[in-house]
Amino acid sequence: LVAGKGRFCTRVIGALGQSALVKTGAEGVYMAAVPARGGRAPFGIALKIDDGATRASEVAMAGLLRYLDVLDDAAWGRLHAIAQPRLKNWRGIETGTIRTAPGWLDRG
């Protein structure tokens, strides 16, 4: 009932259970609420993609959740296809992937 069956935020909530609440907004806006766990204080994330692209905001949110250890390996495995979608042309040939830039979320 968040955004509809198969939508990014609905799938993230399904994969994470009570670990986070993620919700899409209008024009490239995404938000997440992460409750306290393991001694860590609760926190929220809000992001806005300048061009309003939903696909960019979904990839950015997935990257942030992964970086912040909200998405563990199991959840990432279930969400990888939607968190880093493959692009295909009209003939069905893969032409690329939408993903965060290399090094964008490195902890280094």
Side-chain angles (χ1 to χ4, degrees):
L1 297 175
V2 176
K5 187 176 180 179
R7 298 280 304 272
F8 177 80
C9 52
T10 305
R11 290 185 61 187
V12 170
I13 291 169
L16 293 177
Q18 296 181 352
S19 296
L21 175 63
V22 180
K23 179 69 175 98
T24 186
E27 301 295 323
V29 171
Y30 248 94
M31 291 180 261
V34 181
R37 68 181 177 118
R40 183 166 62 184
F43 64 93
I45 302 169
L47 66 87
K48 164 72 171 127
I49 302 300
D50 284 344
D51 71 0
T54 298
R55 65 188 194 175
S57 62
E58 292 172 349
V59 170
M61 181 58 75
L64 285 168
L65 291 171
R66 181 77 168 148
Y67 176 77
L68 296 168
D69 293 326
V70 177
L71 282 176
D72 61 15
D73 290 340
W76 182 254
R78 288 191 302 275
L79 296 170
H80 188 264
I82 196 168
Q84 293 187 340
R86 299 182 184 280
L87 300 176
K88 295 182 180 182
N89 66 13
W90 63 274
R91 293 181 65 197
I93 299 170
E94 187 175 320
T95 58
T97 303
I98 304 170
R99 64 186 191 290
T100 58
W104 183 59
L105 294 173
D106 287 348
R107 296 173 195 242

